mmCIF file of all heavy atoms in Angstrom:
data_model
loop_
_atom_site.group_PDB
_atom_site.id
_atom_site.type_symbol
_atom_site.label_atom_id
_atom_site.label_comp_id
_atom_site.label_asym_id
_atom_site.label_seq_id
_atom_site.Cartn_x
_atom_site.Cartn_y
_atom_site.Cartn_z
ATOM 1 N N PHE A 248 -31.268 -4.793 -8.534
ATOM 2 C CA PHE A 248 -30.843 -4.379 -7.201
ATOM 3 C C PHE A 248 -30.551 -5.630 -6.371
ATOM 4 O O PHE A 248 -31.325 -6.589 -6.410
ATOM 5 C CB PHE A 248 -31.948 -3.590 -6.502
ATOM 6 C CG PHE A 248 -32.326 -2.320 -7.200
ATOM 7 C CD1 PHE A 248 -33.104 -2.341 -8.354
ATOM 8 C CD2 PHE A 248 -31.910 -1.097 -6.702
ATOM 9 C CE1 PHE A 248 -33.467 -1.168 -8.997
ATOM 10 C CE2 PHE A 248 -32.262 0.087 -7.349
ATOM 11 C CZ PHE A 248 -33.041 0.051 -8.492
ATOM 12 N N ALA A 249 -29.454 -5.606 -5.606
ATOM 13 C CA ALA A 249 -29.140 -6.709 -4.695
ATOM 14 C C ALA A 249 -28.293 -6.168 -3.544
ATOM 15 O O ALA A 249 -27.942 -4.988 -3.520
ATOM 16 C CB ALA A 249 -28.432 -7.840 -5.433
ATOM 17 N N GLU A 250 -27.960 -7.041 -2.616
ATOM 18 C CA GLU A 250 -27.245 -6.653 -1.393
ATOM 19 C C GLU A 250 -25.751 -6.394 -1.609
ATOM 20 O O GLU A 250 -25.118 -5.760 -0.781
ATOM 21 C CB GLU A 250 -27.408 -7.737 -0.322
ATOM 22 C CG GLU A 250 -28.849 -7.918 0.147
ATOM 23 C CD GLU A 250 -29.388 -6.710 0.913
ATOM 24 O OE1 GLU A 250 -28.596 -5.983 1.540
ATOM 25 O OE2 GLU A 250 -30.613 -6.501 0.866
ATOM 26 N N ASN A 251 -25.193 -6.930 -2.708
ATOM 27 C CA ASN A 251 -23.765 -6.725 -2.954
ATOM 28 C C ASN A 251 -23.512 -6.687 -4.460
ATOM 29 O O ASN A 251 -24.370 -7.072 -5.255
ATOM 30 C CB ASN A 251 -22.915 -7.792 -2.263
ATOM 31 C CG ASN A 251 -23.290 -9.188 -2.719
ATOM 32 O OD1 ASN A 251 -23.259 -9.494 -3.909
ATOM 33 N ND2 ASN A 251 -23.660 -10.041 -1.765
ATOM 34 N N THR A 252 -22.339 -6.241 -4.817
ATOM 35 C CA THR A 252 -21.984 -6.071 -6.227
ATOM 36 C C THR A 252 -22.024 -7.389 -6.994
ATOM 37 O O THR A 252 -22.573 -7.453 -8.098
ATOM 38 C CB THR A 252 -20.577 -5.448 -6.352
ATOM 39 O OG1 THR A 252 -20.589 -4.176 -5.717
ATOM 40 C CG2 THR A 252 -20.165 -5.267 -7.799
ATOM 41 N N GLU A 253 -21.478 -8.456 -6.419
ATOM 42 C CA GLU A 253 -21.382 -9.739 -7.125
ATOM 43 C C GLU A 253 -22.765 -10.288 -7.470
ATOM 44 O O GLU A 253 -23.009 -10.730 -8.598
ATOM 45 C CB GLU A 253 -20.606 -10.760 -6.282
ATOM 46 C CG GLU A 253 -19.138 -10.432 -6.099
ATOM 47 C CD GLU A 253 -18.878 -9.355 -5.038
ATOM 48 O OE1 GLU A 253 -19.803 -9.021 -4.249
ATOM 49 O OE2 GLU A 253 -17.756 -8.831 -5.013
ATOM 50 N N THR A 254 -23.680 -10.277 -6.513
ATOM 51 C CA THR A 254 -25.040 -10.776 -6.747
ATOM 52 C C THR A 254 -25.750 -9.912 -7.775
ATOM 53 O O THR A 254 -26.429 -10.421 -8.664
ATOM 54 C CB THR A 254 -25.847 -10.807 -5.422
ATOM 55 O OG1 THR A 254 -25.133 -11.606 -4.471
ATOM 56 C CG2 THR A 254 -27.227 -11.377 -5.635
ATOM 57 N N THR A 255 -25.574 -8.608 -7.678
ATOM 58 C CA THR A 255 -26.225 -7.684 -8.606
ATOM 59 C C THR A 255 -25.747 -7.922 -10.034
ATOM 60 O O THR A 255 -26.555 -8.029 -10.961
ATOM 61 C CB THR A 255 -25.955 -6.225 -8.195
ATOM 62 O OG1 THR A 255 -26.256 -6.067 -6.809
ATOM 63 C CG2 THR A 255 -26.807 -5.264 -8.989
ATOM 64 N N ILE A 256 -24.446 -8.040 -10.215
ATOM 65 C CA ILE A 256 -23.893 -8.296 -11.549
ATOM 66 C C ILE A 256 -24.382 -9.641 -12.078
ATOM 67 O O ILE A 256 -24.780 -9.756 -13.245
ATOM 68 C CB ILE A 256 -22.350 -8.240 -11.531
ATOM 69 C CG1 ILE A 256 -21.877 -6.810 -11.278
ATOM 70 C CG2 ILE A 256 -21.762 -8.772 -12.839
ATOM 71 C CD1 ILE A 256 -20.381 -6.678 -11.046
ATOM 72 N N GLY A 257 -24.375 -10.667 -11.233
ATOM 73 C CA GLY A 257 -24.815 -11.995 -11.650
ATOM 74 C C GLY A 257 -26.259 -12.016 -12.117
ATOM 75 O O GLY A 257 -26.588 -12.597 -13.162
ATOM 76 N N LEU A 258 -27.149 -11.352 -11.371
ATOM 77 C CA LEU A 258 -28.558 -11.308 -11.756
ATOM 78 C C LEU A 258 -28.773 -10.457 -13.004
ATOM 79 O O LEU A 258 -29.573 -10.805 -13.876
ATOM 80 C CB LEU A 258 -29.412 -10.801 -10.593
ATOM 81 C CG LEU A 258 -29.553 -11.775 -9.423
ATOM 82 C CD1 LEU A 258 -30.204 -11.090 -8.230
ATOM 83 C CD2 LEU A 258 -30.342 -13.008 -9.837
ATOM 84 N N ALA A 259 -28.048 -9.348 -13.100
ATOM 85 C CA ALA A 259 -28.152 -8.505 -14.301
ATOM 86 C C ALA A 259 -27.705 -9.302 -15.520
ATOM 87 O O ALA A 259 -28.325 -9.210 -16.594
ATOM 88 C CB ALA A 259 -27.307 -7.242 -14.146
ATOM 89 N N HIS A 260 -26.680 -10.118 -15.356
ATOM 90 C CA HIS A 260 -26.198 -10.944 -16.463
ATOM 91 C C HIS A 260 -27.255 -11.970 -16.876
ATOM 92 O O HIS A 260 -27.457 -12.220 -18.071
ATOM 93 C CB HIS A 260 -24.884 -11.630 -16.084
ATOM 94 C CG HIS A 260 -24.241 -12.336 -17.220
ATOM 95 N ND1 HIS A 260 -24.162 -13.704 -17.288
ATOM 96 C CD2 HIS A 260 -23.661 -11.863 -18.361
ATOM 97 C CE1 HIS A 260 -23.571 -14.043 -18.412
ATOM 98 N NE2 HIS A 260 -23.255 -12.950 -19.084
ATOM 99 N N LYS A 261 -27.958 -12.568 -15.911
ATOM 100 C CA LYS A 261 -29.019 -13.530 -16.235
ATOM 101 C C LYS A 261 -30.147 -12.875 -17.032
ATOM 102 O O LYS A 261 -30.643 -13.431 -18.007
ATOM 103 C CB LYS A 261 -29.597 -14.153 -14.957
ATOM 104 C CG LYS A 261 -28.761 -15.235 -14.356
ATOM 105 C CD LYS A 261 -29.486 -15.852 -13.178
ATOM 106 C CE LYS A 261 -28.716 -17.030 -12.629
ATOM 107 N NZ LYS A 261 -29.428 -17.679 -11.532
ATOM 108 N N VAL A 262 -30.554 -11.675 -16.621
ATOM 109 C CA VAL A 262 -31.614 -10.967 -17.340
ATOM 110 C C VAL A 262 -31.116 -10.566 -18.734
ATOM 111 O O VAL A 262 -31.840 -10.683 -19.720
ATOM 112 C CB VAL A 262 -32.124 -9.733 -16.538
ATOM 113 C CG1 VAL A 262 -33.162 -8.961 -17.334
ATOM 114 C CG2 VAL A 262 -32.697 -10.164 -15.193
ATOM 115 N N HIS A 263 -29.868 -10.148 -18.816
ATOM 116 C CA HIS A 263 -29.253 -9.795 -20.099
ATOM 117 C C HIS A 263 -29.254 -11.003 -21.044
ATOM 118 O O HIS A 263 -29.609 -10.882 -22.221
ATOM 119 C CB HIS A 263 -27.828 -9.295 -19.851
ATOM 120 C CG HIS A 263 -27.193 -8.620 -21.011
ATOM 121 N ND1 HIS A 263 -26.513 -9.311 -21.997
ATOM 122 C CD2 HIS A 263 -27.129 -7.306 -21.354
ATOM 123 C CE1 HIS A 263 -26.048 -8.457 -22.884
ATOM 124 N NE2 HIS A 263 -26.406 -7.232 -22.524
ATOM 125 N N GLN A 264 -28.895 -12.175 -20.522
ATOM 126 C CA GLN A 264 -28.908 -13.404 -21.321
ATOM 127 C C GLN A 264 -30.310 -13.729 -21.807
ATOM 128 O O GLN A 264 -30.498 -14.209 -22.923
ATOM 129 C CB GLN A 264 -28.367 -14.586 -20.507
ATOM 130 C CG GLN A 264 -26.883 -14.558 -20.285
ATOM 131 C CD GLN A 264 -26.441 -15.700 -19.392
ATOM 132 O OE1 GLN A 264 -27.116 -16.064 -18.442
ATOM 133 N NE2 GLN A 264 -25.282 -16.266 -19.711
ATOM 134 N N TRP A 265 -31.309 -13.476 -20.950
ATOM 135 C CA TRP A 265 -32.695 -13.748 -21.326
ATOM 136 C C TRP A 265 -33.051 -12.944 -22.576
ATOM 137 O O TRP A 265 -33.659 -13.457 -23.501
ATOM 138 C CB TRP A 265 -33.636 -13.418 -20.165
ATOM 139 C CG TRP A 265 -35.010 -13.946 -20.367
ATOM 140 C CD1 TRP A 265 -35.488 -15.164 -20.005
ATOM 141 C CD2 TRP A 265 -36.118 -13.270 -20.992
ATOM 142 N NE1 TRP A 265 -36.807 -15.304 -20.367
ATOM 143 C CE2 TRP A 265 -37.219 -14.155 -20.980
ATOM 144 C CE3 TRP A 265 -36.275 -12.019 -21.572
ATOM 145 C CZ2 TRP A 265 -38.453 -13.817 -21.514
ATOM 146 C CZ3 TRP A 265 -37.506 -11.688 -22.103
ATOM 147 C CH2 TRP A 265 -38.584 -12.579 -22.075
ATOM 148 N N PHE A 266 -32.664 -11.675 -22.600
ATOM 149 C CA PHE A 266 -32.955 -10.832 -23.765
ATOM 150 C C PHE A 266 -32.074 -11.178 -24.963
ATOM 151 O O PHE A 266 -32.503 -11.081 -26.105
ATOM 152 C CB PHE A 266 -32.821 -9.351 -23.427
ATOM 153 C CG PHE A 266 -33.987 -8.822 -22.675
ATOM 154 C CD1 PHE A 266 -33.890 -8.540 -21.325
ATOM 155 C CD2 PHE A 266 -35.206 -8.627 -23.310
ATOM 156 C CE1 PHE A 266 -34.985 -8.066 -20.627
ATOM 157 C CE2 PHE A 266 -36.304 -8.154 -22.615
ATOM 158 C CZ PHE A 266 -36.187 -7.875 -21.265
ATOM 159 N N SER A 267 -30.849 -11.575 -24.716
ATOM 160 C CA SER A 267 -29.922 -11.876 -25.803
ATOM 161 C C SER A 267 -30.252 -13.182 -26.520
ATOM 162 O O SER A 267 -29.980 -13.315 -27.705
ATOM 163 C CB SER A 267 -28.490 -11.958 -25.274
ATOM 164 O OG SER A 267 -28.103 -10.716 -24.752
ATOM 165 N N PHE A 268 -30.853 -14.166 -25.785
ATOM 166 C CA PHE A 268 -31.070 -15.458 -26.412
ATOM 167 C C PHE A 268 -32.245 -16.248 -25.830
ATOM 168 O O PHE A 268 -33.124 -16.696 -26.572
ATOM 169 C CB PHE A 268 -29.779 -16.293 -26.300
ATOM 170 C CG PHE A 268 -29.890 -17.654 -26.907
ATOM 171 C CD1 PHE A 268 -29.992 -17.820 -28.284
ATOM 172 C CD2 PHE A 268 -29.902 -18.780 -26.106
ATOM 173 C CE1 PHE A 268 -30.103 -19.088 -28.839
ATOM 174 C CE2 PHE A 268 -30.012 -20.045 -26.655
ATOM 175 C CZ PHE A 268 -30.105 -20.200 -28.032
ATOM 176 N N LEU A 269 -32.277 -16.427 -24.522
ATOM 177 C CA LEU A 269 -33.232 -17.356 -23.901
ATOM 178 C C LEU A 269 -34.694 -16.970 -24.111
ATOM 179 O O LEU A 269 -35.549 -17.840 -24.275
ATOM 180 C CB LEU A 269 -32.929 -17.495 -22.403
ATOM 181 C CG LEU A 269 -31.526 -18.022 -22.082
ATOM 182 C CD1 LEU A 269 -31.254 -17.952 -20.588
ATOM 183 C CD2 LEU A 269 -31.353 -19.440 -22.600
ATOM 184 N N GLY A 270 -35.015 -15.684 -24.126
ATOM 185 C CA GLY A 270 -36.399 -15.240 -24.267
ATOM 186 C C GLY A 270 -36.806 -14.879 -25.676
ATOM 187 O O GLY A 270 -37.901 -14.355 -25.899
ATOM 188 N N GLU A 271 -35.939 -15.161 -26.634
ATOM 189 C CA GLU A 271 -36.155 -14.732 -28.016
ATOM 190 C C GLU A 271 -37.512 -15.173 -28.583
ATOM 191 O O GLU A 271 -38.242 -14.377 -29.172
ATOM 192 C CB GLU A 271 -35.029 -15.272 -28.894
ATOM 193 C CG GLU A 271 -35.090 -14.831 -30.332
ATOM 194 C CD GLU A 271 -33.921 -15.371 -31.147
ATOM 195 O OE1 GLU A 271 -33.342 -16.407 -30.760
ATOM 196 O OE2 GLU A 271 -33.610 -14.743 -32.160
ATOM 197 N N GLU A 272 -37.873 -16.425 -28.384
ATOM 198 C CA GLU A 272 -39.133 -16.936 -28.928
ATOM 199 C C GLU A 272 -40.331 -16.268 -28.251
ATOM 200 O O GLU A 272 -41.288 -15.858 -28.913
ATOM 201 C CB GLU A 272 -39.209 -18.454 -28.742
ATOM 202 C CG GLU A 272 -40.395 -19.086 -29.444
ATOM 203 C CD GLU A 272 -40.358 -20.600 -29.347
ATOM 204 O OE1 GLU A 272 -39.271 -21.184 -29.511
ATOM 205 O OE2 GLU A 272 -41.423 -21.179 -29.093
ATOM 206 N N PHE A 273 -40.272 -16.124 -26.922
ATOM 207 C CA PHE A 273 -41.370 -15.479 -26.201
ATOM 208 C C PHE A 273 -41.536 -14.032 -26.653
ATOM 209 O O PHE A 273 -42.663 -13.559 -26.848
ATOM 210 C CB PHE A 273 -41.140 -15.537 -24.688
ATOM 211 C CG PHE A 273 -42.280 -14.969 -23.904
ATOM 212 C CD1 PHE A 273 -43.389 -15.745 -23.626
ATOM 213 C CD2 PHE A 273 -42.274 -13.647 -23.481
ATOM 214 C CE1 PHE A 273 -44.467 -15.220 -22.919
ATOM 215 C CE2 PHE A 273 -43.337 -13.114 -22.784
ATOM 216 C CZ PHE A 273 -44.442 -13.909 -22.504
ATOM 217 N N ILE A 274 -40.436 -13.328 -26.841
ATOM 218 C CA ILE A 274 -40.473 -11.934 -27.285
ATOM 219 C C ILE A 274 -41.148 -11.834 -28.654
ATOM 220 O O ILE A 274 -41.999 -10.982 -28.885
ATOM 221 C CB ILE A 274 -39.046 -11.342 -27.321
ATOM 222 C CG1 ILE A 274 -38.497 -11.239 -25.900
ATOM 223 C CG2 ILE A 274 -39.027 -9.985 -28.014
ATOM 224 C CD1 ILE A 274 -36.994 -11.016 -25.828
#
């Protein structure tokens, strides 16, 4: 959730990247 579409998409993309690659070892 964010105040506008651009910020919301950007943050969703960061979390998506975390699951796709960045958080792999922690998971």
Side-chain angles (χ1 to χ4, degrees):
F248 298 76
E250 296 293 332
N251 58 56
T252 300
E253 293 79 13
T254 304
T255 310
I256 292 172
L258 289 170
H260 188 249
K261 281 185 175 183
V262 176
H263 193 274
Q264 287 176 322
W265 193 89
F266 282 106
S267 297
F268 180 69
L269 300 173
E271 183 178 24
E272 188 175 318
F273 184 83
I274 293 165

